[in-house]
Amino acid sequence: MIPEVDWAALRREAVTAMRTAYAPYSGFPVGVAGLVDDGRVVSGCNVENAAYGVGLCAECGMVSQLHRTGGGRFVAVACVNRDGAALMPCGRCRQLLWENGGPDCLLDTPEGALPMREVLPQAFGADDLHPA
């Protein structure tokens, strides 16, 4: 059974994660929280690096926590900026959400909750690596 999404609670958890971000170079802290199909909530924050290209987006930490705490699939995800406003994930992170939530995973966007199939149309995934 898919748990009901409490968007306010998910955003609060994303804000809590954002407050622990390490963003001394950009000054742009990001937090994210995801509801897992078993009811757990996992979160992450961005972690920058002086070598800009090796910084970690918040979604990277959240996906790591998902797998570290038992796996599963994302049902819903909220990503926020410093002000707690909905923030669209970058392209790499949209791919992470697709791989770990699939086309029905809901993403809290500035335009409201959208399924990943609308956020990342014609997505590339595991099925493309092993066509039938």
Side-chain angles (χ1 to χ4, degrees):
M1 182 169 132
I2 305 244
E4 186 171 327
V5 180
D6 180 344
W7 287 107
L10 209 52
R11 286 184 205 106
R12 282 192 303 272
E13 184 62 29
V15 167
T16 297
M18 178 271 303
R19 290 185 180 134
T20 64
Y22 178 71
Y25 307 107
S26 71
F28 193 75
V30 176
V32 66
L35 175 63
V36 183
D37 57 4
D38 64 5
R40 281 178 297 136
V41 173
V42 295
S43 62
C45 63
N46 59 322
V47 177
E48 294 181 348
N49 189 288
Y52 292 131
V54 296
L56 298 174
C57 295
E59 295 84 351
C60 295
M62 179 182 70
V63 168
S64 290
Q65 188 180 40
L66 170 71
H67 291 283
R68 186 185 65 74
T69 62
R73 303 286 287 167
F74 287 120
V75 172
V77 173
C79 182
V80 299
N81 65 15
R82 166 188 316 272
D83 300 321
L87 183 64
M88 285 300 290
C90 70
R92 174 178 81 164
C93 292
R94 291 178 196 196
Q95 181 68 29
L96 283 171
L97 296 178
W98 180 272
E99 296 249 347
N100 292 280
D104 296 324
C105 177
L106 296 174
L107 179 64
D108 187 25
T109 78
E111 296 181 1
L114 295 173
M116 284 303 299
R117 71 170 47 81
E118 291 182 34
V119 175
L120 192 62
Q122 300 184 45
F124 181 86
D127 292 341
D128 296 301
L129 296 174
H130 306 289

